[in-house]
Amino acid sequence: MVEPTPTGGTGRKVTAKDVAAAAGVTVGTVSKAFSGNGSVNEATRRRIIERAQELGYEIRSPRQQKASARTIGLITSDRFGRLTVPVVLGAIDTLAEHEIALIVCDGRGDAIREQHFIDSLLRRDVDGILVTGTGISARNSIGRQPVPVIYALAWSRSADDVSIVPDDTGGVAAATRHLLATGRRRLAFVSGPSDVDDSTAARLSAISSELAVHGLEFVHEPLFGEWTESWGRLAATQLLASGHDVDGIICGNDQLARGVVEALTERGRVVPRDVAVVGLDNWDVMVEATNPHLSTVDLNLTDVGHAAANELLRAVAEGRSPGGIRRVPTRFIPRASSAAR
């Protein structure tokens, strides 16, 4: 393994990623070359060592590596669901660049189970703890710990904690502006449950604010149900039966949007000519399985993981930072389901 040292007089510490880029290999190959674990041909090993020496790396013995090994604990509350996985992968990528191991624990949203894992992680002398979950609503804080704690996707209810979340309200606001720019004026909103979902209320407010700029409001009251295609189909059916001439529908996720598109099509509405439909998540399975392909908001969840890991590394190095929610930019992706008529 390698201990990064300042290079070029800039004060920035080089990482295994720098060595990998210079040698034209992966970060994993760099690790194998210096640890002696795994198969790396001799020519590649020599090239990696040469590039590392040029960058000012100190190659340490396995005993030195073990003595300085660092670890981060991760506690997730949703059993590694579709939204959490890219966050965790982003965090792993960032931590791997700094040669930090990640210990993953499945808390399942149970406070007693989480406390068990917290105690276990602290006994293992982890350098920090990353807490993540679905991001549908706020979660309880795990409290003040002897090591830094950062929340990712699922934000903490405590203002003292640091939480890194996607700017989904900015994303749905961009989607609303897109629909308005393509001539849609009679919009509706379909989402999951409203009573336990903090994010839905914020998204609804963001859309309403964009409509108000143009002197508009929803043509139909927002519809709340489950996070499923079947609810999307039922919601679209209700909208059509209401007699309101809807020409744009914003959905709380891509599963809902797929159900909406199917129901509209079955009832003779052409998407996007008659009704434009927008989802949220940029879940490729839903996007590509929908005809026409879905316009959607990409939550950039991998970037959320990167940002959370970097914030945790900074807290480990520099100490506690002011609490609050940090938002990672999202990206609206227009596709055929909301094309201009």
Side-chain angles (χ1 to χ4, degrees):
M1 301 287 278
V2 175
E3 175 68 31
T5 56
T7 65
T10 64
R12 186 183 74 84
K13 290 185 176 181
V14 295
T15 68
K17 187 176 182 179
D18 296 317
V19 176
V25 298
T26 66
V27 173
T29 302
V30 170
S31 178
K32 292 176 184 178
F34 289 119
S35 68
N37 298 323
S39 176
V40 179
N41 69 59
E42 189 57 33
T44 300
R45 189 189 306 277
R46 284 199 302 269
R47 185 170 74 254
I48 292 171
I49 291 173
E50 289 172 359
R51 297 295 88 79
Q53 290 172 340
E54 291 170 2
L55 291 172
Y57 265 65
E58 175 191 353
I59 305 171
R60 297 174 297 151
S61 69
R63 178 172 294 182
Q64 289 173 313
Q65 295 170 29
K66 185 175 182 180
S68 62
R70 294 189 293 166
T71 56
I72 294 295
L74 181 142
I75 299 174
T76 182
S77 61
D78 75 337
R79 311 187 78 169
F80 314 108
R82 180 176 57 81
L83 297 178
T84 300
V85 167
V87 175
V88 174
L89 292 177
I92 288 173
D93 286 345
T94 295
L95 296 174
E97 293 176 11
H98 296 268
E99 300 167 355
I100 296 174
L102 187 68
I103 302 174
V104 180
C105 305
D106 178 13
R108 303 182 188 178
D110 182 275
I112 295 176
R113 186 179 174 89
E114 285 187 351
Q115 188 59 55
H116 164 75
F117 284 127
I118 292 168
D119 295 341
S120 177
L121 290 171
L122 293 177
R123 286 195 300 270
R124 293 172 181 266
D125 292 325
V126 296
D127 296 280
I129 298 175
L130 185 63
V131 181
T132 188
T134 62
I136 292 175
S137 60
R139 55 151 294 144
N140 290 331
S141 172
I142 67 170
R144 191 74 175 266
Q145 302 297 330
V147 297
V149 178
I150 300 295
Y151 297 77
L153 192 58
W155 62 100
S156 171
R157 289 191 175 92
S158 172
D160 294 331
D161 294 327
V162 176
S163 303
I164 311 295
V165 303
D167 183 19
D168 54 349
T169 55
V172 296
T176 306
R177 292 193 294 270
H178 164 77
L179 292 177
L180 294 171
T182 57
R184 276 76 182 199
R185 290 295 183 272
R186 299 179 300 279
L187 304 189
F189 180 64
V190 175
S191 191
S194 62
D195 56 341
V196 296
D197 187 345
D198 298 334
S199 62
T200 292
R203 295 170 184 175
L204 182 58
S205 177
I207 298 168
S208 297
S209 295
E210 293 296 331
L211 290 174
V213 170
H214 296 267
L216 301 171
E217 57 185 21
F218 286 111
V219 73
H220 189 285
E221 68 271 13
L223 295 175
F224 303 108
E226 303 299 323
W227 294 110
T228 61
E229 286 184 57
S230 59
W231 165 237
R233 294 169 65 90
L234 180 58
T237 302
Q238 289 184 20
L239 288 171
L240 294 177
S242 72
H244 293 287
D245 188 16
V246 177
D247 65 4
I249 302 175
I250 299 175
C251 301
N253 72 8
D254 291 338
Q255 287 174 276
L256 290 169
R258 175 171 162 76
V260 165
V261 170
E262 287 184 346
L264 291 173
T265 302
E266 289 173 0
R267 286 157 181 76
R269 299 300 198 276
V270 178
V271 177
R273 187 194 68 193
D274 300 329
V275 185
V277 179
V278 171
L280 187 146
D281 287 344
N282 197 29
W283 186 12
D284 55 356
V285 173
M286 290 293 114
V287 166
E288 295 172 8
T290 304
N291 184 24
H293 286 182
L294 279 176
S295 297
T296 187
V297 176
D298 191 325
L299 296 178
N300 291 332
L301 297 177
T302 301
D303 289 348
V304 171
H306 289 313
N310 279 320
E311 182 67 22
L312 187 54
L313 291 174
R314 191 206 60 73
V316 169
E318 302 175 12
R320 184 176 175 82
S321 60
I325 296 177
R326 325 274 203 264
R327 300 190 183 277
V328 174
T330 54
R331 182 170 53 106
F332 174 66
I333 304 175
R335 294 191 180 96
S337 71
S338 67
R341 292 177 288 197

